[in-house]
Amino acid sequence: MISTSAIRNAWRWCLLAPFFLLPLLVPLSGALADPALIVIDDDFGDWSSVSVAHSDPGGDAGGSQIDFGRLWIADDPRFLFLRIEVGIEIDPSENNDLRLYLDTDANSGTGLLVAGIGAELEWRFGSRSGTFFAAGQTTVFHDDIRFRAAPAVTTTEIEIAIGRDTLPDGVTPLFSGSQVRVAFLDSSGSDRVPDLGGVIAYDLDQGQLPDDPDRTLARFDPGHLRMITYNVLNDAPWNPSLEPRFGRQLAAVAPDILSFQEIRNHSAAETLTLVSNWVPLGPGESWYSAENSDCKTVSRFPILGSWPLDGNLAVLIDTTAILGSELLLINAHLPCCGNDSGRQAECDRIMAFIRDAKDNGGVLTLQPDTPIMITGDLNLVGLAGQLNTLLSGDIVGGGFGLDFDPDWDGSSLTSVISRQTEKRMGYTWRSDSSSFWPGHLDYHIYSDSVLTRENHFILYTPEIANPSSLGLQPLDSTASDHFLFCVDFAAPSNSDPVLMTIPPSGEVLDFGAVRVSDNQQATLRALNGGGSGSSLFGSFPAASSAFSPLTMQAFGPVPSGGFVDRIYVFSPSSRGAYSLPLVVTSDGGSSSLTLAGLSVGPVFASNRNPGHLIRVGSNVDDAAMLEVMNISIDEDGGNAALTDLTLRSLDIRGPEAQRFSVSGFSSGMVVGKGSSVTLRLLYLPPFRIPKSSGPGSQSRVSTTPGRFFSVARSGATLFLSTDEGTTPGGSGTEYSFPLRGEAH
């Protein structure tokens, strides 16, 4: 008897077989290569500059739950980046049948034949593992290929990074060519990208990567409030070999308020002592602490009260001196892993506490516009609804009351999307021994109607180029499996930033007249014309054509009255007028300007066409005249050197070159615009005696001067080197003139 499972598996193979058995010759869909500053961080906004590589029709999923949509591809020297829409909400790391195939040598004859490509890598998202096909088959995990993906909660689209310099089997590079081919499959259904008969190909290392703005540990303003959250992994700071690693990080960051998790065997007082040893305060200042379960909060501002919320800790802190008001801070460590119901219940309780504190219905009554923060290791790896509860106030479970709008302006709270100090990754937890790839588990959530976010970063010391300059060592961040996550906050300023530029919006940044192949710099200045306390953030755009640089440059913060400059360069390769519109963007408005420059230079002309034969006589009256002219009409702005024509050298080459002479030339002579010089060419023939008319007779050179009777002809070529088309006096265009000497 045939089992129902066997029938089901046979039917599934019938659906999938075409995907694996496609012919090798299929149309290539060439994806535009996009080097881009992609950050794997739960935020897809940085993909806006990347072209869609492929768009799969909706509603073609058949029996699949997944219904693929658009696919984006980008790269940088370290990673291949992918972004894929899956049509339904899935957990990227489990309970799905999503598969990725990469043909990394663009050769369908190698690897696993699937979807018309020869895949060197099959990655199975739901099992968090893959297979590398090279000289056999090797099972690989996330750490073997530096696989990164976000978000960690359920989602309808996923962003992915895969390390380009990895050796999945310890020997063979994963990426061995300049092109990669990509396919996705829902192995439990029938949807795939691309559809039958197509291949998506992407060329690596095309174009220039935009500038990546530097990250700094310093506060933008000493008056900003600095917060950190840090899961320190089972009381690890009290391990004598690990304490210095934690301490150096605390000293380098110097936070004002610290939220710790996983301190179970040491008290709040012991935690305060540890902090004070590494971050000493000034005379008359003190550290304060509070605790509940493994959550410990240490603050250099007085803690006015504390309340347990399951295993989490709520504190009211007197931050009036720095924010102008008190602060409600919830230090949370939510249940781990697959415990979605437990996490949801604790999220509901936290939000109910905040609602009641705002509405005079709880153990705490907040003054209007009191800043609210939720921070800690939230362990958000399951359903996205838990994060939605913390942001929007959507309470799911019974017994916790009604939904509400948690921010004071009736909106949702805001989560800080950050990245590591030296790497474009937003994960805050990493354990290469775990089957789960690194993820964003630690959060700062805040009321943005009464707080502004300033500097922020995830501290990751192994990537810092010179950690000792910050008092750090390379392995400090590896003291825990979580990373220190820091955010600075400030009270909203009374004035918004205002972008002003020099030259002003609507005007021209003029480079003036520039010699062909030379360059000229001009400075564009962005100023903050906003009031006291404002900070301006923005970006200078990339240039193009004859102008550079070709990359965007972010700037900020620019304080009130401050400015930042960007140097643009005009490097014309041919004569003519150039212009390029630019728009400087910022949170204080935009400024539209035009880059403009005039490329000028000399223009060579002569009375004899280059390349045409010049007949040169042997007498003064028969001399050939070569007139060299500079016919440029370019404006030089009073600098004649921009249009002067320099005659660098003159050389006559050929077997008979010694029989020609030139007068009127000197190396480096200058022909001004509208001027000319005349060169006189003479031929010096050999002396000959009459030819004998007898059989076998030969001509020979006479030794008697003045006696030659037959026609004497010889040839050579005159080469005249100029600085036309290049910088003054440089090696420019060379002109040649064939010469023929004649004497009778």
Side-chain angles (χ1 to χ4, degrees):
M1 181 176 179
I2 301 176
S3 68
T4 56
S5 62
I7 295 174
R8 184 166 54 249
N9 289 337
W11 174 245
R12 179 183 171 204
W13 170 246
C14 291
L15 289 174
L16 296 181
F19 191 78
F20 287 89
L21 300 178
L22 282 172
L24 297 183
L25 297 176
V26 293
L28 284 177
S29 172
L32 294 176
D34 286 301
L37 296 177
I38 300 300
V39 184
I40 305 299
D41 61 355
D42 303 359
D43 181 7
F44 298 100
D46 48 358
W47 288 89
S48 61
S49 64
V50 178
S51 306
V52 175
H54 181 83
S55 186
D56 190 61
D60 67 341
S64 297
Q65 287 189 324
I66 288 177
D67 187 3
F68 292 114
R70 292 172 295 176
L71 168 68
W72 294 260
I73 310 176
D75 71 290
D76 68 14
R78 299 182 65 177
F79 289 96
L80 173 71
F81 299 101
L82 303 163
R83 173 188 173 191
I84 183 71
E85 295 175 335
V86 295
I88 61 168
E89 193 169 287
I90 67 169
D91 185 336
S93 64
E94 58 187 356
N95 301 321
N96 70 74
D97 292 301
L98 178 62
R99 298 189 185 188
L100 164 66
Y101 295 93
L102 293 182
D103 180 352
T104 55
D105 62 3
N107 183 353
S108 58
T110 61
L112 173 69
L113 178 59
V114 54
I117 65 176
E120 276 67 45
L121 177 69
E122 177 190 59
W123 181 257
R124 299 174 291 274
F125 287 78
S127 65
R128 302 179 297 281
S129 64
T131 302
F132 180 55
F133 298 90
Q137 300 182 19
T138 303
T139 300
V140 295
F141 300 96
H142 67 85
D143 55 309
D144 296 313
I145 58 173
R146 292 214 315 278
F147 181 90
R148 311 290 185 249
V153 296
T154 53
T155 179
T156 59
E157 58 182 329
I158 310 166
E159 57 179 351
I160 303 154
I162 297 176
R164 290 180 55 187
D165 60 351
T166 55
L167 306 172
D169 60 1
V171 177
T172 311
L174 173 57
F175 291 86
S176 58
S178 60
Q179 186 183 88
V180 61
R181 298 176 182 180
V182 180
F184 281 89
L185 165 70
D186 175 17
S187 65
S188 65
S190 60
D191 203 16
R192 66 205 68 180
V193 170
D195 287 332
L196 289 173
V199 170
I200 301 168
Y202 178 85
D203 292 324
L204 299 164
D205 299 320
Q206 302 296 306
Q208 183 176 359
L209 196 68
D211 290 338
D212 190 9
D214 292 337
R215 289 294 189 272
T216 176
L217 302 191
R219 304 178 204 221
F220 295 156
D221 187 302
H224 291 164
L225 175 67
R226 172 153 288 190
M227 314 278 296
I228 71 162
T229 179
Y230 202 1
N231 179 321
V232 294
L233 188 62
N234 296 324
D235 297 85
W238 285 271
N239 181 323
S241 65
L242 295 178
E243 181 193 354
R245 297 188 188 181
F246 288 102
R248 284 189 293 266
Q249 293 179 79
L250 298 181
V253 174
D256 298 314
I257 300 175
L258 306 88
S259 296
F260 293 109
Q261 303 85 43
E262 288 201 27
I263 298 179
R264 297 185 174 94
N265 300 316
H266 295 83
S267 67
E270 290 173 298
T271 306
L272 181 152
T273 299
L274 178 83
V275 171
S276 63
N277 288 339
W278 287 98
V279 190
L281 298 178
E285 296 181 309
S286 300
W287 286 106
Y288 304 86
S289 64
E291 64 184 313
N292 180 48
S293 186
D294 67 305
C295 296
K296 307 293 190 291
T297 297
V298 178
S299 168
R300 74 178 184 90
F301 302 102
I303 295 177
L304 304 177
S306 66
W307 299 266
L309 301 174
D310 297 314
N312 310 303
L313 171 66
V315 294
L316 185 66
I317 303 176
D318 185 4
T319 51
T320 306
I322 195 167
L323 294 178
S325 66
E326 297 170 349
L327 165 70
L328 175 61
L329 172 66
I330 296 173
N331 177 358
H333 188 196
L334 303 181
C336 178
C337 312
N339 189 357
D340 280 296
S341 60
R343 270 194 305 276
Q344 184 63 59
E346 294 197 13
C347 290
D348 288 344
R349 186 181 300 278
I350 288 170
M351 298 313 290
F353 178 85
I354 293 173
R355 180 199 59 216
D356 293 346
K358 290 179 64 182
D359 294 342
N360 303 327
V363 296
L364 167 68
T365 299
L366 296 176
Q367 295 296 314
D369 294 332
T370 297
I372 299 169
M373 294 187 194
I374 304 169
T375 189
D377 173 10
L378 303 187
N379 274 317
L380 296 179
V381 294
L383 299 175
Q386 299 150 28
L387 177 58
N388 180 57
T389 293
L390 296 176
L391 295 175
S392 70
D394 179 16
I395 294 176
V396 175
F400 294 106
L402 299 175
D403 299 345
F404 74 113
D405 298 316
D407 204 344
W408 294 99
D409 61 356
S411 66
S412 297
L413 299 179
T414 297
S415 176
V416 177
I417 302 297
S418 192
R419 56 159 282 185
Q420 294 169 15
T421 44
E422 307 293 322
K423 188 164 60 173
R424 293 194 310 278
M425 292 289 163
Y427 59 80
T428 63
W429 170 87
R430 173 176 172 177
S431 174
D432 288 348
S433 62
S434 170
S435 70
F436 288 92
W437 55 77
H440 174 197
L441 305 186
D442 304 86
Y443 283 77
H444 287 280
I445 296 172
Y446 69 104
S447 51
D448 65 1
S449 70
V450 291
L451 286 173
T452 60
R453 186 212 67 200
E454 301 293 343
N455 194 19
H456 58 95
F457 55 84
I458 301 162
L459 185 59
Y460 186 64
T461 56
E463 294 277 345
I464 296 178
N466 185 18
S468 61
S469 66
L470 302 170
L472 296 165
Q473 294 185 12
L475 297 181
D476 284 350
S477 290
T478 65
S480 173
D481 55 353
H482 290 253
F483 303 141
L484 185 154
F485 184 5
C486 175
V487 184
D488 297 339
F489 292 97
S493 63
N494 295 325
S495 175
D496 293 327
V498 176
L499 173 67
M500 303 172 65
T501 58
I502 299 176
S505 182
E507 297 194 8
V508 173
L509 182 62
D510 193 355
F511 292 81
V514 178
R515 177 75 175 248
V516 174
S517 295
D518 207 346
N519 64 78
Q520 178 64 45
Q521 296 182 348
T523 300
L524 175 57
R525 174 165 292 181
L527 307 94
N528 182 5
S532 176
S534 65
S535 294
L536 177 73
F537 293 84
S539 63
F540 291 111
S544 61
S545 181
F547 300 96
S548 62
L550 304 179
T551 55
M552 180 196 74
Q553 176 183 308
F555 62 79
V558 181
S560 174
F563 65 86
V564 60
D565 290 338
R566 191 180 204 194
I567 295 175
Y568 286 90
V569 181
F570 176 43
S571 306
S573 58
S574 59
R575 295 168 51 248
Y578 293 78
S579 66
L580 178 70
L582 291 181
V583 179
V584 182
T585 58
S586 78
D587 58 356
S590 62
S591 178
S592 300
L593 308 104
T594 300
L595 305 184
L598 178 65
S599 176
V600 301
V603 179
F604 177 94
S606 62
N607 65 330
R608 307 291 185 108
N609 290 330
H612 287 221
L613 181 68
I614 300 177
R615 300 178 186 274
V616 184
S618 59
N619 299 319
V620 173
D621 293 339
D622 297 329
M625 302 298 179
L626 177 60
E627 184 181 9
V628 176
M629 298 166 277
N630 180 357
I631 61 172
S632 175
I633 59 172
D634 293 343
E635 296 293 333
D636 57 24
N639 183 2
L642 296 178
T643 54
D644 282 345
L645 176 68
T646 301
L647 306 184
R648 301 179 66 248
S649 64
L650 185 150
D651 187 22
I652 299 176
R653 305 171 204 159
E656 300 293 331
Q658 75 277 7
R659 300 201 179 279
F660 295 87
S661 66
V662 179
S663 61
F665 174 83
S666 60
S667 179
M669 66 190 307
V670 174
V671 183
K673 182 173 66 173
S675 301
S676 65
V677 296
T678 300
L679 310 180
R680 185 185 298 271
L681 285 71
L682 278 174
Y683 170 55
L684 307 175
F687 298 112
R688 294 183 181 273
I689 61 174
K691 290 183 179 180
S692 168
S693 59
S697 62
Q698 296 179 346
S699 298
R700 64 184 178 84
V701 176
S702 170
T703 58
T704 306
R707 297 185 61 197
F708 57 94
F709 306 99
S710 62
V711 175
R713 293 181 177 177
S714 57
T717 302
L718 182 150
F719 294 90
L720 181 59
S721 175
T722 75
D723 67 348
E724 182 188 36
T726 188
T727 54
S731 179
T733 305
E734 183 178 74
Y735 295 93
S736 63
F737 301 86
L739 304 179
R740 176 176 291 176
E742 297 184 351
H744 298 275

